[in-house]
Amino acid sequence: PTTARELAIEMSGEFDPGRYAHLAVPTLLLTGGDSPPIMHDVIDRLHAALPHSRIASMPGQQHIAMGLAPEPLADKALRFQLG
C-alpha cells in the first residue's frame, strides 16, 4: 500500500525545472545502477534543473540502497560533503 500511495503522489504533480534554477546549494543525486529506467530519467531531469548538482551511481543497487547498502551510500555522501 505504501508504494502505490507514494507513486500516486509522485505522479500527481507537474515538474517545473525553472523553480530550481536559482538554487545554489551543492546537491548530490544518488542513483542505483540497477534502478529502473524511469528512476534514471528522474535523476537526469533533476540534474538538468539543479545548477549545482552532481550524479553519483551506485553500481548493483536499486532505489532502496539506503536500507540494503547503507555503508556505500554513506561513503558516497561523505565523499561529496568533503569535496
Side-chain angles (χ1 to χ4, degrees), residues 15-71:
F15 180 62
D16 177 10
R19 275 183 79 181
Y20 307 98
H22 71 283
L23 294 177
V25 178
T27 306
L28 177 64
L29 303 170
L30 291 170
T31 184
D34 292 346
S35 290
I38 192 166
M39 298 305 292
H40 294 282
D41 294 343
V42 168
I43 292 293
D44 290 341
R45 290 181 69 199
L46 284 171
H47 179 57
L50 294 167
H52 300 281
S53 64
R54 189 177 82 197
I55 297 174
S57 181
M58 296 184 62
Q61 298 300 319
Q62 294 185 6
H63 183 64
I64 54 173
M66 66 288 233
L68 298 177
E71 292 85 7

Side-chain angles (χ1 to χ4, degrees), residues 28 54 56 71-83:
L28 177 64
R54 189 177 82 197
E71 292 85 7
L73 188 140
D75 183 60
K76 293 270 188 194
L78 286 172
R79 287 176 189 259
F80 177 75
Q81 181 181 9
L82 298 174

